[in-house]
């Protein structure tokens, strides 16, 4: 059970360095910094050198793939800070002539920085593996990013902050305070009102152009919140990045008493902030708003998606479609939560979704679907249930506990249609009876749902005939239009790709190798055929020969999509839209397909692809396309245009707007 491998609850924080008042007795060490940094880590300090030393040792211990420099701004410390910093190599130490306060020290460090990104880090922190790379990567992984904040945890392992909320009275709230940092609710990228300045990253040019931290909040407090609001005012976003985990010894420098010392400015500056952003405060959630709503108050709506398993887009086409639909929903500003029928944690694949900004719900945090829907039903604007065997038991629960949610049944493909075709091909009465049972189940769901989704106009027409009056919408495969990266003469061989847990792909390989390949091989000497895909059974592996390669699972398909001259889709039964065909066309790779493999994809023989069904005709079209450069180039260009028009992210977003009524 993969659920056993879920992140551990309340795991102790990874303290890398003990904090002790060892003065100048510590062993000298170096931080491996760069003379050409991408990121400048700025650490303002005022006394408390033991914490500064421990912070720098944690940076040295973990390093980063990102080139960085470290600037320590000493704001007039009277302890051993000056002598201690002299024993730490690789660090640039700046000593202010007078005490400038936290804001002044940060701005002074920024003025001296060389990096394209500024990373402000409190000296009472310790970083963990990958923290800096995660912060900086967020700017490239997501659009319109202006500021990125880390996940802050207490030394005892409890969560301190997973981003912050600002309520309409300008009061702040640390999301997740004292909770379990492994909880899925705190482990996906999301937009927030602000992130604590204890560990944040911003672009250097923006910070300089906008005057740095606003000195009206001097000496400290609310400058980080104000910075986040200014960044958002400029059309950029403030994101929380859970992969950047930083341990924060909260209150070490300024204490926790808001009635005295520096900490009193937290109250004073709240009033300044409220006045500065008075109009904006009217758009913030009111005090008392449930945190689960307030923490993502900007979203257009909240959608829950349930599928059979966590998608594995490197293994099957259905997973590619699901992941890209999630991406399209996020681009439309929906809060997306995803769970699977088995509620299992899937290492690597869950994190892939979380990096996109999807809340992935899994065991042990989600144990009982009925209880979960009873507790959260009022939150959902829409619920998508994928596949009839997933949707059947859940649909009545959604209707009962989320009566205001738009209930959407995603067929993925019409299973009964695929089973009917398999039965016809095999001439098997038992398969026909099984297809009938599936048909009853799927049509029952189509009648009960508010909207049903299919992947092709062919299936849409079929369901509209079977269930008159039902709302059936096309939401097909979604692909990035990569483009043709190698020309005709730079390519060789042909290939097939498919997940082999899907029986139509197994049947396709047996038919192609036994019936079609023998007609191709003598006419294309030296050309090889590659069978690629996950979970390849022994029966397919056994088809391999000198020029038939059973490649199996591939971490990336790029060598085949960019290196093979063409792909084949010799499917004899199935349903839906074939991702293997879409994927090749998105890479400018021409395809020879059966009529069934080309079904519902707006494809025409000789214009977009070559279509053939019998073994002899299929072989003839493969040889022809392999040898005709002009034909190859024409189909390559037409395939790219087809994907752009029908299967691109723009097309998916347009379809989703109609389906969700937004």
């Amino acid at each position: 059970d993969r659920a056993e491998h879920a992140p551990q609850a309340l795991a102790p924080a990874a303290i890398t360095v003990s904090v002790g008042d060892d003065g100048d007795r510590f062993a000298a060490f170096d931080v491996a910094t760069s003379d050409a940094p991408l990121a400048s880590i700025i650490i303002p300090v005022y006394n408390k050198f033991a914490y500064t030393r421990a912070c720098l040792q944690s940076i040295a211990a973990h390093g980063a793939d990102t080139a960085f420099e470290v600037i320590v701004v000493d704001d007039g410390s009277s302890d051993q800070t000056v002598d201690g910093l002299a024993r730490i190599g690789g660090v640039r130490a700046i000593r202010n002539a007078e005490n400038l306060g936290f804001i002044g020290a940060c701005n002074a460090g920024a003025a001296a920085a060389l990096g394209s990104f500024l990373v402000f880090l409190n000296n009472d922190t310790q970083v963990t593996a990958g923290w800096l790379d995660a912060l900086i990567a967020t700017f490239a992984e997501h659009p319109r990013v202006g500021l990125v904040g880390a996940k802050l945890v207490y030394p005892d392992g409890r969560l301190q902050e997973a981003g912050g909320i600002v309520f309409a009275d300008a009061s702040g709230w640390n999301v997740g305070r004292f909770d379990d940092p492994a909880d899925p609710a705190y482990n996906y990228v999301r937009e927030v009102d602000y992130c604590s300045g204890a560990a944040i990253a911003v672009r250097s040019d923006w910070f300089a152009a906008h005057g740095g931290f606003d000195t009206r909040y001097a000496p400290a407090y609310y400058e980080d919140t104000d910075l986040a609001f200014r960044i958002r005012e400029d059309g950029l976003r403030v994101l929380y990045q859970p992969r950047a985990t930083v341990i924060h010894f909260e209150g070490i420098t300024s204490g926790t008493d808001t009635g005295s010392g520096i900490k009193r400015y937290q109250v004073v500056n709240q009033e300044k902030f409220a006045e500065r952003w008075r109009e904006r405060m009217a758009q913030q959630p009111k005090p008392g708003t449930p945190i689960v709503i307030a923490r993502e108050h900007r979203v257009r709506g909240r959608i829950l998606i349930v599928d059979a398993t966590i998608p594995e887009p490197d293994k099957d086409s259905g997973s590619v479609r699901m992941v890209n639909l999630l991406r399209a929903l996020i681009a439309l500003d929906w809060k997306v939560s995803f769970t699977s029928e088995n509620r299992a944690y899937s290492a690597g694949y869950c994190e892939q979704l979380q990096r996109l900004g999807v809340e992935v719900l899994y065991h042990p945090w989600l144990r009982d679907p009925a209880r979960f829907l009873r507790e959260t039903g009022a939150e959902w604007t829409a619920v998508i249930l994928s596949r009839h065997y997933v949707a059947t038991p859940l649909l009545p629960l959604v209707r009962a506990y989320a009566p205001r949610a738009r209930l959407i049944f995603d067929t993925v493909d019409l299973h009964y249609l695929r089973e009917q075709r398999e039965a016809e091909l095999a001439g098997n009465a038992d398969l026909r009876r099984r297809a009938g049972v599936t048909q009853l189940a799927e049509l029952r769901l189509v009648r009960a749902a508010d909207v049903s989704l299919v992947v092709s106009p062919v299936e849409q027409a079929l369901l509209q005939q079977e269930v008159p009056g039902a709302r059936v919408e096309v939401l097909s495969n979604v692909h990035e239009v990569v483009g043709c990266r190698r020309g005709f003469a730079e390519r060789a061989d042909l290939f097939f790709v498919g997940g082999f847990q899907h029986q139509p792909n197994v049947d396709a390989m047996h038919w192609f190798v036994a019936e079609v390949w023998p007609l191709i091989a003598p006419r294309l000497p030296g050309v090889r055929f590659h069978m690629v895909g996950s979970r390849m059974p022994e029966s397919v592996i056994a088809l391999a020969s000198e020029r038939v390669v059973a490649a199996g699972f591939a971490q990336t398909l790029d060598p085949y999509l960019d290196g093979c001259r063409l792909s084949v889709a010799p499917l004899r039964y199935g349903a839906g839209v074939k991702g293997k065909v879409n994927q090749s066309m998105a890479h400018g790779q021409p395809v020879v397909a059966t009529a069934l493999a080309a079904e519902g994809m707006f494809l025409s023989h000789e214009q977009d692809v070559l279509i053939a069904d019998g073994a002899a005709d299929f072989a003839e079209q493969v040889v022809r396309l392999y040898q005709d450069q002009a034909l190859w180039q024409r189909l390559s260009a037409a395939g790219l245009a087809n994907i752009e028009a029908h299967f691109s992210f723009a097309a998916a977003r347009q379809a989703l707007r109609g389906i969700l009524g937004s």
Side-chain angles (χ1 to χ4, degrees):
D1 184 352
R2 289 177 294 175
E4 295 176 0
H5 304 291
Q8 293 296 304
L10 286 174
I15 298 292
T16 57
V17 184
S18 63
V19 179
D21 189 14
D22 50 9
D24 59 359
R25 296 189 300 275
F26 68 93
F29 64 93
D30 294 334
V31 182
T33 53
S34 171
D35 293 332
L38 179 63
S40 297
I41 302 172
I42 299 167
I43 306 174
V45 305
Y46 178 69
N47 294 326
K48 305 292 183 181
F49 176 70
Y51 286 90
T52 303
R53 185 263 307 162
C55 175
L56 293 170
Q57 284 181 315
S58 74
I59 295 172
H62 293 296
D65 292 333
T66 303
F68 68 92
E69 65 174 345
V70 176
I71 301 172
V72 177
V73 184
D74 179 5
D75 203 26
S77 298
S78 58
D79 64 356
Q80 64 271 41
T81 294
V82 173
D83 292 337
L85 288 176
R87 303 185 63 208
I88 303 174
V91 174
R92 293 170 59 196
I94 298 174
R95 184 171 173 84
N96 294 335
E98 59 180 315
N99 185 282
L100 301 178
F102 180 81
I103 291 174
C106 286
N107 287 344
L114 301 176
S116 299
F117 295 92
L118 305 177
V119 180
F120 294 100
L121 186 68
N122 279 16
N123 70 324
D124 58 347
T125 62
Q126 291 189 31
V127 303
T128 64
W131 76 286
L132 181 61
D133 295 327
L135 283 179
I136 301 306
T138 310
F139 289 89
E141 292 173 348
H142 295 270
R144 298 182 295 105
V145 179
L147 183 150
V148 182
K151 177 198 286 184
L152 301 180
V153 299
Y154 288 105
D156 65 5
R158 293 177 301 164
L159 181 64
Q160 185 180 119
E161 178 193 305
I165 301 169
V166 176
F167 290 100
D169 62 355
S171 62
W173 184 273
N174 301 130
V175 174
R177 192 174 186 86
F178 303 136
D179 282 355
D180 184 345
D183 189 324
Y186 311 122
N187 282 288
Y188 61 99
V189 175
R190 70 176 193 280
E191 189 168 0
V192 295
D193 287 341
Y194 75 98
C195 291
S196 168
I200 58 173
V202 298
R203 295 185 187 274
S204 301
D205 54 1
W206 189 97
F207 194 81
H210 292 77
F213 286 118
D214 193 333
T215 56
R216 82 178 69 193
Y217 301 101
Y221 293 107
Y222 270 85
E223 76 287 335
D224 47 7
T225 314
D226 178 82
L227 180 69
F229 273 65
R230 288 159 59 201
I231 282 173
R232 196 159 30 246
E233 188 178 45
D234 210 30
L236 301 174
R237 299 191 302 154
V238 177
L239 298 185
Y240 159 70
Q241 175 53 267
R243 290 188 293 126
T245 299
V246 173
I247 301 150
H248 186 208
F249 296 77
E250 186 179 40
I252 293 300
T253 302
S254 303
T256 57
D257 181 5
T258 58
S260 63
I262 295 295
K263 191 72 173 176
R264 74 182 187 278
Y265 286 97
Q266 185 170 335
V267 177
V268 172
N269 286 345
Q270 179 179 337
E271 296 176 2
K272 292 182 180 179
F273 177 85
E275 178 60 26
R276 162 74 172 83
W277 296 101
R278 183 171 48 191
E279 293 183 9
R280 181 70 65 181
M281 288 301 97
Q283 302 171 24
Q284 295 299 114
K286 295 179 180 179
T289 302
I291 296 301
V292 71
I293 301 299
R295 73 187 186 200
E296 287 159 308
H297 60 88
R298 292 180 181 82
V299 298
R300 183 183 302 274
R302 298 163 195 271
I303 188 165
L304 172 67
I305 301 176
V306 189
D307 203 347
T309 60
I310 296 294
E312 299 179 345
D314 56 350
K315 294 181 179 177
D316 64 87
S317 173
S319 291
V320 172
R321 173 179 178 267
M322 177 56 74
V323 169
N324 286 342
L325 289 179
L326 298 177
R327 292 172 63 187
L329 284 164
I330 290 168
L332 290 172
D333 296 325
W334 281 74
K335 182 329 185 25
V336 182
S337 299
F338 181 95
T339 191
S340 59
E341 182 186 39
N342 61 9
R343 300 182 297 286
Y345 169 78
S346 181
Y349 294 105
C350 283
E351 287 81 0
Q352 183 180 31
L353 298 185
Q354 290 168 332
R355 288 178 70 159
L356 294 176
V358 178
E359 180 183 30
V360 187
L361 305 168
Y362 43 76
H363 181 87
W365 288 273
L366 197 167
R367 297 177 182 270
D368 176 18
R371 179 179 177 182
F372 169 76
L373 286 168
R374 185 167 60 248
E375 293 175 348
T376 67
E379 298 173 20
W380 308 114
T381 311
V383 177
I384 296 179
L385 304 177
S386 292
R387 307 173 204 273
H388 71 90
Y389 51 87
V390 174
T392 295
L394 291 177
L395 187 144
L397 294 175
V398 174
R399 284 296 192 209
Y401 298 125
R404 291 182 295 177
R406 178 166 296 185
L407 200 160
I408 301 168
F409 168 45
D410 183 10
T411 65
V412 182
D413 64 26
L414 280 180
H415 289 51
Y416 83 81
L417 180 60
R418 170 162 39 86
E419 291 173 0
Q420 284 177 347
R421 288 168 170 174
E422 180 184 11
E424 292 168 5
L425 183 65
N428 187 308
D430 288 338
L431 292 178
R432 276 193 290 272
R433 282 190 289 273
R434 185 183 70 179
V437 172
T438 301
Q439 182 178 21
L440 288 174
E442 289 188 303
L443 296 184
R444 187 179 298 117
L445 290 165
V446 171
R447 293 187 184 95
D450 296 319
V451 186
S452 294
L453 305 181
V454 292
V455 293
S456 77
V458 172
E459 294 186 353
Q460 181 185 40
L462 179 60
L463 281 186
Q464 288 174 335
Q465 180 180 351
E466 296 269 17
V467 188
R471 183 180 173 190
V472 182
E473 300 286 351
V474 176
L475 185 59
S476 199
N477 290 353
V478 186
H479 293 272
E480 291 186 26
V481 183
V482 178
C484 186
R485 296 189 285 207
R486 289 187 189 174
F488 177 88
E490 300 174 273
R491 298 169 177 255
D493 297 347
L494 44 143
F495 92 112
F496 170 90
V497 62
F500 287 98
Q501 76 280 8
H502 191 55
Q503 284 305 307
N505 290 330
V506 175
D507 174 79
M509 287 301 88
H510 281 282
W511 179 69
F512 183 83
V513 174
E515 304 292 335
V516 183
W517 179 247
L519 304 177
I520 295 172
R523 300 176 62 186
L524 298 177
V527 171
R528 297 183 300 168
F529 172 56
H530 303 265
M531 301 181 294
V532 183
S534 61
R535 303 180 181 93
M536 185 176 285
E538 289 297 327
S539 66
V540 174
I541 295 173
L543 298 173
S545 63
E546 183 180 357
R547 291 170 57 194
V548 175
V549 181
F553 173 71
Q555 290 287 346
T556 174
L557 292 177
D558 287 353
Y560 300 98
L561 293 166
D562 298 331
C564 288
R565 188 167 292 176
L566 57 92
S567 69
V568 295
L571 298 171
R572 299 196 297 167
Y573 71 94
V577 168
K578 309 305 177 293
K580 57 179 63 64
V581 177
N582 289 140
Q583 196 167 31
S584 285
M585 293 195 302
H587 284 74
Q589 181 182 59
V591 182
V592 179
T594 58
L596 185 142
E599 181 181 76
M601 299 177 69
F602 312 98
L603 300 175
S604 298
H605 177 57
E606 298 278 355
Q607 294 182 25
D608 308 284
V609 296
L610 297 184
I611 298 175
D613 284 315
D617 190 20
F618 202 99
E620 180 63 33
Q621 300 302 334
V622 169
V623 173
R624 175 184 169 216
L625 180 56
Y626 198 90
Q627 295 177 331
D628 188 334
Q629 182 171 353
L631 174 62
W632 188 96
Q633 291 172 334
R634 179 161 56 82
L635 295 184
S636 173
L640 289 168
N642 174 277
I643 298 299
E644 183 65 51
H646 302 292
F647 303 101
S648 63
F649 278 90
R653 289 192 295 269
Q654 184 62 31
L656 285 167
R657 288 188 186 99
I659 292 162
L660 296 169
S662 57

